[in-house]
Amino acid sequence: MFAISLLALDLSRIKRFAHGYADMEVAIVVKMDLLMKAFQGNDDIVRKELLLNEKSINLFYMNSLTEQKTLEEWVIRPLQLHHGEEWKGLQNVYISGESIDSVSDAVQAVLEGFTLITDGEELIKLKTYSVSQRSIESSAIESSIMGPQDSFNESLQTNLSLLKRKVKNISLKTIIGNIGEETQTQYAVLYMDNKVSRDNLNFLLRALDQMNIQGITSASVLQQMIEEMPWSPFPQLLNTVRVDTSMSSLLEGKIVLLLDGAPQALIGPITFMELVNSADDEYNRSLTATLIRHLSLFGFFMTIFITSSYVSFLTFHPEMLPPQLFSLIATSREKVPFSPMLEVLILEIIIEILREAAARMSIKVGQTIGVVGGIVIGTAAVEAGLFSNIIIILVAVSTLLSFLPTNVLLRNGFQVIKYAFILLAGMLGLFGQMIAFAYLLSHLVKLKSLGSPLLSTGFNKGRGYSNKGVLRVPERGLIKKSSRTNR
Protein backbone atom coordinates (compact mmCIF):
# COMPACT_ATOMS: atom_id res chain seq x y z
CA MET A 1 0.00 0.00 0.00
CA PHE A 2 2.93 2.32 0.70
CA ALA A 3 4.28 1.76 -2.84
CA ILE A 4 0.87 2.53 -4.35
CA SER A 5 0.58 5.77 -2.43
CA LEU A 6 4.04 6.76 -3.61
CA LEU A 7 3.00 6.26 -7.22
CA ALA A 8 0.17 8.73 -6.79
CA LEU A 9 2.51 11.50 -5.69
CA ASP A 10 2.70 14.47 -8.03
CA LEU A 11 6.06 15.91 -9.03
CA SER A 12 4.80 19.42 -8.39
CA ARG A 13 4.24 18.46 -4.74
CA ILE A 14 7.78 17.12 -4.59
CA LYS A 15 9.13 20.36 -5.99
CA ARG A 16 7.11 22.38 -3.46
CA PHE A 17 8.34 20.07 -0.73
CA ALA A 18 11.95 20.67 -1.75
CA HIS A 19 11.50 24.41 -2.31
CA GLY A 20 13.42 26.47 0.20
CA TYR A 21 16.20 23.94 0.64
CA ALA A 22 19.60 24.85 -0.62
CA ASP A 23 20.12 21.37 -1.97
CA MET A 24 17.52 20.03 -4.46
CA GLU A 25 18.89 16.51 -4.08
CA VAL A 26 15.97 15.71 -1.71
CA ALA A 27 13.42 15.96 -4.53
CA ILE A 28 15.69 14.08 -6.91
CA VAL A 29 16.18 11.20 -4.49
CA VAL A 30 12.45 10.97 -3.79
CA LYS A 31 11.63 10.99 -7.51
CA MET A 32 14.08 8.24 -8.38
CA ASP A 33 12.92 6.27 -5.37
CA LEU A 34 9.34 6.36 -6.66
CA LEU A 35 10.34 5.09 -10.09
CA MET A 36 12.58 2.34 -8.72
CA LYS A 37 9.81 1.10 -6.43
CA ALA A 38 7.32 1.06 -9.30
CA PHE A 39 9.59 -0.96 -11.59
CA GLN A 40 10.86 -3.30 -8.89
CA GLY A 41 10.42 -6.99 -9.78
CA ASN A 42 9.97 -6.37 -13.51
CA ASP A 43 13.19 -7.54 -15.17
CA ASP A 44 11.88 -6.54 -18.61
CA ILE A 45 12.13 -2.85 -17.68
CA VAL A 46 15.71 -1.64 -18.16
CA ARG A 47 17.32 1.30 -16.41
CA LYS A 48 20.27 2.82 -18.21
CA GLU A 49 22.33 5.66 -16.75
CA LEU A 50 24.29 8.13 -18.89
CA LEU A 51 26.78 10.67 -17.57
CA LEU A 52 26.83 13.83 -19.70
CA ASN A 53 28.72 16.93 -18.53
CA GLU A 54 28.74 15.57 -14.99
CA LYS A 55 24.94 15.34 -15.27
CA SER A 56 23.33 11.97 -14.56
CA ILE A 57 20.63 11.05 -17.12
CA ASN A 58 18.46 7.98 -16.41
CA LEU A 59 16.59 6.07 -19.10
CA PHE A 60 13.75 3.66 -18.35
CA TYR A 61 12.31 1.49 -21.12
CA MET A 62 10.73 -1.92 -21.65
CA ASN A 63 13.17 -4.18 -23.44
CA SER A 64 10.49 -6.26 -25.19
CA LEU A 65 8.80 -3.19 -26.71
CA THR A 66 11.88 -1.19 -27.76
CA GLU A 67 14.60 -2.20 -30.18
CA GLN A 68 18.15 -1.21 -29.33
CA LYS A 69 18.59 0.41 -32.73
CA THR A 70 15.61 2.67 -32.16
CA LEU A 71 16.81 3.54 -28.67
CA GLU A 72 20.26 4.41 -29.98
CA GLU A 73 18.93 6.54 -32.83
CA TRP A 74 16.18 8.47 -31.05
CA VAL A 75 17.42 8.70 -27.47
CA ILE A 76 21.09 8.09 -26.80
CA ARG A 77 22.55 9.76 -29.91
CA PRO A 78 20.60 13.06 -29.49
CA LEU A 79 21.75 13.20 -25.88
CA GLN A 80 25.37 12.66 -26.83
CA LEU A 81 25.18 15.45 -29.41
CA HIS A 82 24.85 17.88 -26.53
CA HIS A 83 27.95 16.53 -24.84
CA GLY A 84 30.31 19.40 -24.02
CA GLU A 85 27.58 22.03 -24.03
CA GLU A 86 26.08 23.65 -20.99
CA TRP A 87 23.21 21.54 -19.72
CA LYS A 88 19.97 23.49 -20.01
CA GLY A 89 17.44 20.75 -19.34
CA LEU A 90 15.77 17.96 -21.26
CA GLN A 91 13.29 20.20 -23.07
CA ASN A 92 16.17 21.79 -24.97
CA VAL A 93 17.21 18.36 -26.22
CA TYR A 94 13.80 16.80 -26.98
CA ILE A 95 11.60 19.27 -28.81
CA SER A 96 9.12 16.51 -29.65
CA GLY A 97 9.27 14.92 -26.22
CA GLU A 98 6.20 15.13 -24.03
CA SER A 99 6.63 16.28 -20.45
CA ILE A 100 5.04 14.22 -17.66
CA ASP A 101 3.87 15.65 -14.36
CA SER A 102 3.20 12.53 -12.31
CA VAL A 103 5.04 9.31 -11.61
CA SER A 104 1.94 7.20 -12.29
CA ASP A 105 1.75 8.61 -15.84
CA ALA A 106 5.46 7.92 -16.24
CA VAL A 107 4.98 4.26 -15.26
CA GLN A 108 2.08 3.88 -17.70
CA ALA A 109 4.17 5.43 -20.47
CA VAL A 110 6.92 2.84 -20.02
CA LEU A 111 4.32 0.04 -20.12
CA GLU A 112 3.02 1.41 -23.44
CA GLY A 113 6.44 1.33 -25.10
CA PHE A 114 7.70 4.85 -24.41
CA THR A 115 11.21 5.56 -23.19
CA LEU A 116 11.23 7.59 -19.99
CA ILE A 117 14.06 10.13 -19.67
CA THR A 118 14.81 11.99 -16.46
CA ASP A 119 17.64 14.18 -15.25
CA GLY A 120 16.27 14.21 -11.71
CA GLU A 121 14.26 17.37 -12.29
CA GLU A 122 12.17 16.69 -15.40
CA LEU A 123 10.36 13.63 -16.69
CA ILE A 124 9.97 13.33 -20.46
CA LYS A 125 8.60 10.42 -22.50
CA LEU A 126 9.61 9.71 -26.08
CA LYS A 127 7.79 7.19 -28.27
CA THR A 128 10.24 4.41 -29.12
CA TYR A 129 7.74 1.56 -29.51
CA SER A 130 9.17 -0.74 -32.18
CA VAL A 131 8.35 -4.44 -32.38
CA SER A 132 8.33 -6.90 -35.25
CA GLN A 133 4.93 -7.55 -36.80
CA ARG A 134 3.37 -9.70 -39.49
CA SER A 135 3.51 -8.24 -42.97
CA ILE A 136 0.39 -7.43 -44.99
CA GLU A 137 -0.76 -10.66 -46.63
CA SER A 138 -3.75 -12.06 -48.45
CA SER A 139 -6.44 -13.68 -46.36
CA ALA A 140 -6.71 -17.46 -46.31
CA ILE A 141 -10.16 -17.30 -44.69
CA GLU A 142 -11.91 -14.81 -46.99
CA SER A 143 -10.06 -15.39 -50.24
CA SER A 144 -10.81 -13.24 -53.26
CA ILE A 145 -10.47 -14.03 -56.95
CA MET A 146 -10.87 -10.58 -58.49
CA GLY A 147 -10.75 -8.18 -55.54
CA PRO A 148 -7.80 -6.69 -53.61
CA GLN A 149 -5.62 -9.18 -51.76
CA ASP A 150 -4.53 -7.10 -48.76
CA SER A 151 -5.96 -7.96 -45.36
CA PHE A 152 -5.61 -6.73 -41.80
CA ASN A 153 -2.85 -7.85 -39.46
CA GLU A 154 -2.36 -7.60 -35.68
CA SER A 155 -1.08 -3.99 -35.65
CA LEU A 156 -3.72 -1.31 -35.03
CA GLN A 157 -1.64 1.42 -36.66
CA THR A 158 -1.10 -0.70 -39.77
CA ASN A 159 -4.82 -1.44 -40.04
CA LEU A 160 -5.66 2.25 -39.67
CA SER A 161 -3.20 3.15 -42.42
CA LEU A 162 -4.71 0.50 -44.75
CA LEU A 163 -8.15 2.08 -44.40
CA LYS A 164 -7.06 5.70 -44.52
CA ARG A 165 -5.04 5.14 -47.67
CA LYS A 166 -8.25 4.06 -49.38
CA VAL A 167 -10.58 6.71 -47.90
CA LYS A 168 -8.92 10.13 -48.23
CA ASN A 169 -11.73 12.25 -46.85
CA ILE A 170 -11.89 14.63 -43.92
CA SER A 171 -15.30 13.16 -43.05
CA LEU A 172 -13.61 9.92 -41.97
CA LYS A 173 -13.44 10.29 -38.20
CA THR A 174 -11.51 8.14 -35.74
CA ILE A 175 -12.18 7.65 -32.03
CA ILE A 176 -9.36 5.90 -30.14
CA GLY A 177 -9.69 4.50 -26.63
CA ASN A 178 -8.56 1.73 -24.31
CA ILE A 179 -10.45 -1.28 -23.00
CA GLY A 180 -9.54 -3.69 -20.22
CA GLU A 181 -8.41 -2.61 -16.77
CA GLU A 182 -5.32 -4.83 -16.84
CA THR A 183 -4.44 -5.04 -20.54
CA GLN A 184 -5.37 -1.47 -21.59
CA THR A 185 -5.92 -2.71 -25.14
CA GLN A 186 -6.29 0.09 -27.65
CA TYR A 187 -9.24 0.20 -30.05
CA ALA A 188 -10.29 2.53 -32.85
CA VAL A 189 -13.83 3.37 -34.01
CA LEU A 190 -14.01 4.68 -37.59
CA TYR A 191 -17.03 6.23 -39.31
CA MET A 192 -17.97 8.74 -41.99
CA ASP A 193 -19.29 11.78 -40.18
CA ASN A 194 -21.61 12.78 -43.03
CA LYS A 195 -23.19 9.33 -43.40
CA VAL A 196 -23.21 7.53 -40.05
CA SER A 197 -26.33 7.05 -37.97
CA ARG A 198 -25.83 8.81 -34.64
CA ASP A 199 -28.04 6.24 -32.89
CA ASN A 200 -25.81 3.37 -34.02
CA LEU A 201 -22.65 5.29 -33.13
CA ASN A 202 -23.90 6.20 -29.66
CA PHE A 203 -24.98 2.59 -29.08
CA LEU A 204 -21.46 1.32 -29.83
CA LEU A 205 -19.63 4.01 -27.84
CA ARG A 206 -21.92 3.49 -24.86
CA ALA A 207 -21.31 -0.29 -24.99
CA LEU A 208 -17.53 0.24 -25.07
CA ASP A 209 -17.60 2.77 -22.22
CA GLN A 210 -19.71 0.54 -19.97
CA MET A 211 -17.50 -2.55 -20.32
CA ASN A 212 -15.86 -3.50 -17.04
CA ILE A 213 -13.45 -6.31 -17.88
CA GLN A 214 -9.89 -7.24 -16.93
CA GLY A 215 -8.71 -7.67 -20.50
CA ILE A 216 -9.68 -8.51 -24.06
CA THR A 217 -8.08 -11.27 -26.13
CA SER A 218 -9.60 -10.98 -29.60
CA ALA A 219 -12.14 -9.18 -31.77
CA SER A 220 -14.52 -12.17 -31.60
CA VAL A 221 -14.67 -11.91 -27.80
CA LEU A 222 -15.30 -8.17 -28.04
CA GLN A 223 -18.03 -8.86 -30.59
CA GLN A 224 -19.94 -11.05 -28.15
CA MET A 225 -19.72 -8.35 -25.48
CA ILE A 226 -21.17 -5.71 -27.78
CA GLU A 227 -24.00 -7.82 -29.19
CA GLU A 228 -27.41 -7.54 -27.55
CA MET A 229 -28.06 -11.31 -27.80
CA PRO A 230 -24.72 -13.14 -27.34
CA TRP A 231 -26.53 -16.49 -26.89
CA SER A 232 -27.82 -16.36 -30.47
CA PRO A 233 -26.18 -18.70 -33.00
CA PHE A 234 -26.15 -15.80 -35.46
CA PRO A 235 -23.53 -13.04 -35.29
CA GLN A 236 -24.93 -9.51 -35.04
CA LEU A 237 -21.75 -7.83 -36.27
CA LEU A 238 -19.72 -8.61 -39.36
CA ASN A 239 -16.29 -10.02 -38.51
CA THR A 240 -13.98 -9.59 -41.50
CA VAL A 241 -10.27 -9.46 -42.32
CA ARG A 242 -10.79 -7.75 -45.68
CA VAL A 243 -9.82 -4.11 -46.10
CA ASP A 244 -12.07 -3.55 -49.12
CA THR A 245 -15.13 -4.84 -47.26
CA SER A 246 -14.43 -2.43 -44.40
CA MET A 247 -13.91 0.46 -46.83
CA SER A 248 -17.19 -0.13 -48.68
CA SER A 249 -18.99 -0.43 -45.34
CA LEU A 250 -17.63 2.95 -44.26
CA LEU A 251 -18.87 4.53 -47.48
CA GLU A 252 -22.34 3.12 -46.78
CA GLY A 253 -22.50 4.82 -43.39
CA LYS A 254 -21.53 1.84 -41.27
CA ILE A 255 -19.11 1.79 -38.33
CA VAL A 256 -15.80 -0.10 -38.31
CA LEU A 257 -14.21 -1.18 -35.03
CA LEU A 258 -10.53 -2.16 -34.95
CA LEU A 259 -8.74 -3.73 -31.99
CA ASP A 260 -5.01 -3.75 -31.39
CA GLY A 261 -3.69 -7.31 -31.61
CA ALA A 262 -6.67 -8.55 -33.65
CA PRO A 263 -6.41 -9.09 -37.43
CA GLN A 264 -10.16 -8.58 -37.88
CA ALA A 265 -12.51 -5.62 -38.11
CA LEU A 266 -16.00 -5.53 -36.61
CA ILE A 267 -18.62 -3.83 -38.79
CA GLY A 268 -22.11 -2.71 -37.88
CA PRO A 269 -24.97 -2.26 -38.28
CA ILE A 270 -25.41 -5.11 -40.74
CA THR A 271 -28.23 -7.07 -42.32
CA PHE A 272 -28.69 -10.83 -42.55
CA MET A 273 -27.86 -10.81 -46.27
CA GLU A 274 -24.47 -9.24 -45.56
CA LEU A 275 -23.61 -12.35 -43.55
CA VAL A 276 -24.67 -14.58 -46.44
CA ASN A 277 -23.08 -12.59 -49.28
CA SER A 278 -19.57 -13.12 -50.58
CA ALA A 279 -16.95 -10.35 -50.75
CA ASP A 280 -16.41 -11.10 -54.44
CA ASP A 281 -20.00 -10.07 -55.24
CA GLU A 282 -18.92 -6.45 -55.64
CA TYR A 283 -16.41 -7.37 -58.35
CA ASN A 284 -18.65 -9.79 -60.25
CA ARG A 285 -21.22 -9.05 -62.91
CA SER A 286 -24.57 -8.04 -61.48
CA LEU A 287 -26.53 -11.04 -62.82
CA THR A 288 -23.85 -13.50 -61.74
CA ALA A 289 -23.57 -11.95 -58.29
CA THR A 290 -27.36 -12.00 -57.87
CA LEU A 291 -27.45 -15.69 -58.79
CA ILE A 292 -24.67 -16.47 -56.30
CA ARG A 293 -26.51 -14.60 -53.56
CA HIS A 294 -29.69 -16.57 -54.23
CA LEU A 295 -27.72 -19.83 -54.19
CA SER A 296 -26.18 -18.92 -50.84
CA LEU A 297 -29.58 -18.06 -49.38
CA PHE A 298 -31.05 -21.26 -50.85
CA GLY A 299 -28.15 -23.24 -49.40
CA PHE A 300 -28.84 -21.82 -45.94
CA PHE A 301 -32.40 -23.16 -45.87
CA MET A 302 -31.59 -26.44 -47.63
CA THR A 303 -28.83 -27.17 -45.09
CA ILE A 304 -31.31 -27.24 -42.22
CA PHE A 305 -34.13 -28.94 -44.17
CA ILE A 306 -32.51 -31.78 -46.16
CA THR A 307 -31.59 -34.23 -43.39
CA SER A 308 -34.46 -33.24 -41.11
CA SER A 309 -36.98 -33.87 -43.94
CA TYR A 310 -35.44 -37.32 -44.44
CA VAL A 311 -36.16 -38.07 -40.78
CA SER A 312 -39.71 -36.68 -40.99
CA PHE A 313 -40.72 -38.61 -44.10
CA LEU A 314 -39.36 -41.97 -42.94
CA THR A 315 -40.63 -41.66 -39.37
CA PHE A 316 -44.08 -40.06 -39.74
CA HIS A 317 -44.95 -39.37 -43.40
CA PRO A 318 -43.77 -42.24 -45.68
CA GLU A 319 -46.95 -41.88 -47.76
CA MET A 320 -45.75 -38.45 -48.97
CA LEU A 321 -42.80 -40.03 -50.81
CA PRO A 322 -43.18 -41.37 -54.38
CA PRO A 323 -43.50 -45.17 -54.33
CA GLN A 324 -40.31 -45.76 -56.32
CA LEU A 325 -38.29 -43.44 -54.05
CA PHE A 326 -39.75 -45.04 -50.93
CA SER A 327 -38.92 -48.50 -52.25
CA LEU A 328 -35.34 -47.39 -52.99
CA ILE A 329 -34.89 -45.97 -49.50
CA ALA A 330 -36.45 -49.04 -47.86
CA THR A 331 -34.07 -51.31 -49.78
CA SER A 332 -31.01 -49.32 -48.73
CA ARG A 333 -32.14 -49.38 -45.08
CA GLU A 334 -32.77 -53.11 -44.80
CA LYS A 335 -29.68 -53.77 -42.67
CA VAL A 336 -29.50 -50.44 -40.83
CA PRO A 337 -29.98 -51.07 -37.08
CA PHE A 338 -30.73 -47.43 -36.17
CA SER A 339 -33.84 -45.31 -36.43
CA PRO A 340 -33.74 -42.54 -39.09
CA MET A 341 -33.18 -39.82 -36.46
CA LEU A 342 -30.35 -41.68 -34.72
CA GLU A 343 -28.80 -42.59 -38.08
CA VAL A 344 -28.73 -38.94 -39.21
CA LEU A 345 -27.43 -37.65 -35.86
CA ILE A 346 -24.54 -40.16 -35.74
CA LEU A 347 -23.51 -39.37 -39.31
CA GLU A 348 -23.74 -35.60 -38.77
CA ILE A 349 -21.55 -35.89 -35.66
CA ILE A 350 -18.97 -37.96 -37.56
CA ILE A 351 -18.85 -35.36 -40.36
CA GLU A 352 -18.47 -32.60 -37.77
CA ILE A 353 -15.59 -34.45 -36.09
CA LEU A 354 -13.83 -34.90 -39.43
CA ARG A 355 -14.25 -31.23 -40.28
CA GLU A 356 -12.98 -30.00 -36.92
CA ALA A 357 -10.01 -32.39 -37.01
CA ALA A 358 -9.08 -31.23 -40.52
CA ALA A 359 -9.36 -27.55 -39.51
CA ARG A 360 -6.99 -27.96 -36.55
CA MET A 361 -4.20 -29.68 -38.46
CA SER A 362 -1.81 -28.44 -41.12
CA ILE A 363 -3.25 -27.79 -44.56
CA LYS A 364 -1.83 -30.88 -46.24
CA VAL A 365 -2.71 -33.26 -43.41
CA GLY A 366 -6.12 -31.65 -42.98
CA GLN A 367 -7.04 -32.11 -46.64
CA THR A 368 -5.94 -35.75 -46.48
CA ILE A 369 -8.03 -36.43 -43.39
CA GLY A 370 -11.07 -34.73 -44.90
CA VAL A 371 -10.97 -36.62 -48.20
CA VAL A 372 -9.62 -40.02 -47.15
CA GLY A 373 -11.51 -40.07 -43.87
CA GLY A 374 -14.82 -39.24 -45.55
CA ILE A 375 -14.39 -41.85 -48.29
CA VAL A 376 -13.07 -44.63 -46.06
CA ILE A 377 -15.57 -44.15 -43.24
CA GLY A 378 -18.50 -43.63 -45.61
CA THR A 379 -17.72 -46.71 -47.72
CA ALA A 380 -17.01 -48.93 -44.73
CA ALA A 381 -20.16 -47.79 -42.90
CA VAL A 382 -22.38 -48.55 -45.91
CA GLU A 383 -20.79 -51.96 -46.50
CA ALA A 384 -21.17 -52.81 -42.83
CA GLY A 385 -24.86 -51.86 -42.97
CA LEU A 386 -24.63 -49.11 -40.39
CA PHE A 387 -25.90 -46.38 -42.75
CA SER A 388 -27.82 -46.28 -46.00
CA ASN A 389 -26.40 -44.98 -49.27
CA ILE A 390 -29.02 -42.26 -49.55
CA ILE A 391 -28.32 -40.69 -46.16
CA ILE A 392 -24.59 -40.57 -47.01
CA ILE A 393 -25.47 -38.55 -50.13
CA LEU A 394 -27.89 -36.25 -48.30
CA VAL A 395 -25.48 -35.46 -45.47
CA ALA A 396 -22.68 -34.79 -47.96
CA VAL A 397 -24.87 -32.40 -49.97
CA SER A 398 -26.05 -30.69 -46.78
CA THR A 399 -22.44 -30.19 -45.66
CA LEU A 400 -21.43 -28.74 -49.02
CA LEU A 401 -24.36 -26.31 -49.01
CA SER A 402 -23.36 -25.05 -45.57
CA PHE A 403 -20.09 -23.76 -47.07
CA LEU A 404 -21.82 -21.42 -49.54
CA PRO A 405 -21.98 -18.50 -47.06
CA THR A 406 -18.45 -17.19 -46.52
CA ASN A 407 -19.00 -16.04 -42.94
CA VAL A 408 -17.42 -18.61 -40.58
CA LEU A 409 -19.58 -17.67 -37.58
CA LEU A 410 -22.75 -18.03 -39.64
CA ARG A 411 -21.65 -21.46 -40.86
CA ASN A 412 -21.02 -22.59 -37.29
CA GLY A 413 -24.48 -21.36 -36.34
CA PHE A 414 -25.95 -23.59 -39.05
CA GLN A 415 -24.77 -26.69 -37.23
CA VAL A 416 -26.63 -25.83 -34.02
CA ILE A 417 -29.81 -25.05 -35.94
CA LYS A 418 -29.50 -28.24 -37.98
CA TYR A 419 -29.46 -30.45 -34.89
CA ALA A 420 -32.54 -28.72 -33.49
CA PHE A 421 -34.44 -29.37 -36.74
CA ILE A 422 -33.40 -33.05 -36.77
CA LEU A 423 -34.50 -33.62 -33.16
CA LEU A 424 -37.89 -31.96 -33.64
CA ALA A 425 -38.40 -33.81 -36.93
CA GLY A 426 -37.71 -37.12 -35.18
CA MET A 427 -40.23 -36.32 -32.44
CA LEU A 428 -43.02 -34.47 -34.32
CA GLY A 429 -42.33 -34.91 -38.03
CA LEU A 430 -43.12 -32.06 -40.42
CA PHE A 431 -45.03 -30.33 -37.64
CA GLY A 432 -41.82 -30.22 -35.60
CA GLN A 433 -39.95 -28.79 -38.55
CA MET A 434 -42.51 -26.02 -38.92
CA ILE A 435 -42.26 -25.22 -35.21
CA ALA A 436 -38.47 -24.98 -35.52
CA PHE A 437 -38.75 -22.83 -38.64
CA ALA A 438 -41.27 -20.47 -37.02
CA TYR A 439 -39.05 -20.09 -33.97
CA LEU A 440 -36.05 -19.45 -36.26
CA LEU A 441 -37.86 -16.66 -38.10
CA SER A 442 -39.12 -15.10 -34.86
CA HIS A 443 -35.59 -15.21 -33.48
CA LEU A 444 -34.17 -13.52 -36.58
CA VAL A 445 -36.79 -10.79 -36.32
CA LYS A 446 -35.71 -10.04 -32.74
CA LEU A 447 -32.01 -9.77 -33.57
CA LYS A 448 -30.50 -6.29 -33.82
CA SER A 449 -27.15 -4.99 -34.94
CA LEU A 450 -26.11 -1.89 -32.96
CA GLY A 451 -29.78 -1.20 -32.35
CA SER A 452 -30.90 -1.73 -35.99
CA PRO A 453 -32.94 -4.80 -37.08
CA LEU A 454 -30.86 -7.60 -38.58
CA LEU A 455 -33.64 -8.46 -41.05
CA SER A 456 -33.85 -4.94 -42.45
CA THR A 457 -33.98 -4.36 -46.20
CA GLY A 458 -31.11 -3.20 -48.35
CA PHE A 459 -32.46 0.35 -48.44
CA ASN A 460 -30.86 3.07 -46.34
CA LYS A 461 -32.96 6.03 -45.35
CA GLY A 462 -32.18 8.95 -47.63
CA ARG A 463 -29.40 7.10 -49.47
CA GLY A 464 -31.22 4.52 -51.55
CA TYR A 465 -30.25 0.88 -52.09
CA SER A 466 -27.02 -0.23 -50.42
CA ASN A 467 -26.41 -3.09 -52.92
CA LYS A 468 -25.95 -5.56 -50.05
CA GLY A 469 -29.42 -7.10 -50.30
CA VAL A 470 -30.80 -10.00 -52.32
CA LEU A 471 -30.22 -8.19 -55.63
CA ARG A 472 -26.88 -6.99 -56.94
CA VAL A 473 -27.67 -3.85 -58.92
CA PRO A 474 -25.06 -2.61 -61.44
CA GLU A 475 -23.05 0.32 -60.16
CA ARG A 476 -23.91 3.50 -62.01
CA GLY A 477 -21.95 6.73 -61.89
CA LEU A 478 -22.54 10.11 -63.46
CA ILE A 479 -20.32 10.63 -66.49
CA LYS A 480 -18.91 14.11 -66.61
CA LYS A 481 -19.17 15.80 -69.95
CA SER A 482 -15.87 16.99 -71.35
CA SER A 483 -15.32 19.14 -74.38
CA ARG A 484 -13.11 17.77 -77.12
CA THR A 485 -10.65 19.96 -78.88
CA ASN A 486 -10.25 19.55 -82.57
CA ARG A 487 -6.79 18.72 -83.69
Side-chain angles (χ1 to χ4, degrees):
M1 294 298 293
F2 179 67
I4 297 175
S5 63
L6 285 176
L7 289 179
L9 284 177
D10 198 314
L11 288 183
S12 61
R13 295 181 182 178
I14 298 175
K15 291 178 180 179
R16 288 197 299 269
F17 169 77
H19 184 68
Y21 288 86
D23 189 6
M24 289 292 294
E25 290 297 326
V26 177
I28 297 173
V29 172
V30 172
K31 185 189 303 182
M32 291 302 300
D33 185 52
L34 293 176
L35 291 173
M36 295 304 296
K37 283 182 179 293
F39 297 137
Q40 186 178 5
N42 195 336
D43 295 335
D44 193 28
I45 297 178
V46 179
R47 177 195 177 190
K48 181 174 290 188
E49 187 174 2
L50 302 176
L51 188 62
L52 302 176
N53 300 334
E54 299 182 354
K55 187 70 176 179
S56 179
I57 308 298
N58 286 276
L59 309 179
F60 293 92
Y61 62 92
M62 188 167 286
N63 195 35
S64 58
L65 299 181
T66 304
E67 292 183 357
Q68 294 299 317
K69 182 179 179 181
T70 305
L71 185 71
E72 178 72 26
E73 181 178 354
W74 292 99
V75 180
I76 298 177
R77 189 176 300 170
L79 282 171
Q80 292 175 343
L81 288 176
H82 288 71
H83 184 69
E85 300 179 5
E86 181 184 356
W87 185 259
K88 297 180 181 179
L90 289 171
Q91 290 289 0
N92 295 317
V93 179
Y94 289 94
I95 305 300
S96 60
E98 184 179 345
S99 181
I100 304 177
D101 295 329
S102 64
V103 177
S104 58
D105 292 340
V107 173
Q108 187 62 35
V110 174
L111 296 177
E112 292 176 359
F114 288 85
T115 293
L116 184 66
I117 311 162
T118 177
D119 60 353
E121 298 176 5
E122 294 179 279
L123 282 173
I124 287 182
K125 67 176 182 180
L126 190 67
K127 190 170 185 179
T128 54
Y129 178 85
S130 56
V131 295
S132 58
Q133 62 186 33
R134 186 166 59 93
S135 60
I136 300 173
E137 303 170 350
S138 60
S139 171
I141 302 175
E142 300 177 63
S143 58
S144 175
I145 300 175
M146 295 175 289
Q149 301 298 319
D150 52 345
S151 61
F152 293 122
N153 63 11
E154 287 76 12
S155 172
L156 178 61
Q157 297 302 321
T158 302
N159 296 339
L160 285 173
S161 67
L162 288 172
L163 279 177
K164 295 193 175 183
R165 282 187 306 184
K166 293 180 179 291
V167 184
K168 305 179 184 69
N169 196 311
I170 194 62
S171 296
L172 178 58
K173 306 297 181 181
T174 306
I175 300 176
I176 296 179
N178 294 322
I179 187 172
E181 295 181 1
E182 301 293 341
T183 60
Q184 290 293 306
T185 306
Q186 198 173 45
Y187 66 83
V189 177
L190 295 93
Y191 62 94
M192 299 296 291
D193 192 45
N194 57 343
K195 296 182 178 182
V196 72
S197 169
R198 296 295 167 182
D199 293 335
N200 299 139
L201 180 61
N202 293 334
F203 183 96
L204 177 60
L205 295 179
R206 186 168 56 251
L208 292 172
D209 291 338
Q210 293 177 352
M211 284 186 188
N212 184 17
I213 56 175
Q214 297 298 314
I216 198 75
T217 57
S218 68
S220 299
V221 176
L222 181 60
Q223 176 181 351
Q224 299 175 36
M225 296 179 178
I226 297 174
E227 293 172 345
E228 294 185 70
M229 299 182 66
W231 288 98
S232 172
F234 298 104
Q236 290 119 65
L237 292 173
L238 182 61
N239 192 320
T240 181
V241 299
R242 295 181 61 92
V243 182
D244 56 337
T245 301
S246 303
M247 182 199 71
S248 63
S249 299
L250 284 172
L251 299 180
E252 292 173 359
K254 301 182 187 300
I255 306 168
V256 175
L257 175 60
L258 300 173
L259 186 69
D260 190 26
Q264 303 97 9
L266 300 179
I267 302 175
I270 59 170
T271 62
F272 180 77
M273 282 305 302
E274 291 182 60
L275 297 173
V276 177
N277 295 343
S278 171
D280 268 340
D281 289 352
E282 295 188 21
Y283 311 107
N284 220 325
R285 305 293 297 177
S286 59
L287 291 177
T288 307
T290 301
L291 175 61
I292 294 174
R293 290 183 180 183
H294 282 83
L295 284 176
S296 299
L297 192 62
F298 172 77
F300 165 73
F301 290 105
M302 291 303 296
T303 298
I304 58 180
F305 272 110
I306 287 180
T307 52
S308 60
S309 296
Y310 172 86
V311 175
S312 295
F313 288 142
L314 292 187
T315 307
F316 293 96
H317 316 286
E319 68 280 356
M320 297 183 65
L321 294 173
Q324 292 181 347
L325 180 59
F326 179 76
S327 175
L328 182 63
I329 296 175
T331 303
S332 65
R333 281 185 47 81
E334 285 180 350
K335 299 180 181 179
V336 176
F338 308 116
S339 64
M341 184 180 72
L342 190 59
E343 178 189 15
V344 171
L345 285 176
I346 293 175
L347 194 56
E348 288 282 5
I349 292 173
I350 292 175
I351 295 296
E352 189 68 24
I353 291 173
L354 285 174
R355 185 167 63 175
E356 290 298 319
R360 282 163 173 75
M361 295 185 180
S362 61
I363 298 177
K364 295 181 179 180
V365 178
Q367 291 176 347
T368 304
I369 289 178
V371 176
V372 177
I375 295 175
V376 171
I377 294 177
T379 304
V382 171
E383 292 179 354
L386 296 177
F387 304 109
S388 64
N389 292 322
I390 293 179
I391 192 56
I392 294 287
I393 297 173
L394 294 179
V395 171
V397 171
S398 176
T399 303
L400 289 176
L401 288 174
S402 68
F403 283 97
L404 287 178
T406 58
N407 191 283
V408 178
L409 297 177
L410 184 65
R411 290 205 302 260
N412 294 338
F414 283 163
Q415 307 306 316
V416 179
I417 298 170
K418 185 192 297 185
Y419 291 126
F421 270 74
I422 293 173
L423 290 173
L424 285 173
M427 292 185 291
L428 301 174
L430 289 176
F431 181 67
Q433 286 181 271
M434 293 302 103
I435 291 177
F437 187 64
Y439 181 79
L440 174 62
L441 291 180
S442 64
H443 176 72
L444 287 173
V445 170
K446 294 177 183 178
L447 290 180
K448 293 184 178 181
S449 176
L450 298 184
S452 299
L454 191 70
L455 284 186
S456 60
T457 61
F459 288 90
N460 293 331
K461 186 177 180 180
R463 293 190 292 272
Y465 190 63
S466 67
N467 231 354
K468 295 292 181 66
V470 180
L471 299 177
R472 165 71 166 83
V473 182
E475 297 288 349
R476 304 281 297 196
L478 295 177
I479 302 175
K480 296 182 180 180
K481 297 181 180 180
S482 59
S483 59
R484 295 183 179 180
T485 57
N486 296 326
R487 295 183 178 179

